[in-house]
Amino acid sequence: MARIITDECVSCGTCAGDCPVEAISMGDSQYEIDPDKCIDCGACEGSCPTGAIVEAE
Ligand code: SF4
């Protein structure tokens, strides 16, 4: 299951640079993770200053 970005996202873009498979990009109102690309490595989670990246249930 891919990780997701919650509405805590402030669109700083830090996580996008940390994703090894380029699964993170700016969406309509905040950054989003493409679930088809995400390998659930967790690299992005620690880079988010607001803790907006979480494991999907
Ligand atoms: Fe990219 Fe890994 Fe975050 Fe998935 S968990 S979006 S593969 S950095």
Side-chain angles (χ1 to χ4, degrees):
M1 183 61 82
R3 277 173 167 68
I4 58 167
I5 302 179
T6 70
D7 59 9
E8 300 288 305
C9 175
V10 293
S11 298
C12 68
T14 306
C15 59
D18 288 341
C19 179
V21 295
E22 298 182 3
I24 306 178
S25 61
M26 186 61 192
D28 290 339
S29 59
Q30 64 174 54
Y31 277 77
E32 297 173 345
I33 297 174
D34 181 341
D36 292 327
K37 289 184 180 172
C38 178
I39 55 171
D40 218 15
C41 69
C44 52
E45 209 172 314
S47 69
C48 179
T50 65
I53 299 176
V54 296
E55 287 184 66
E57 310 243 329

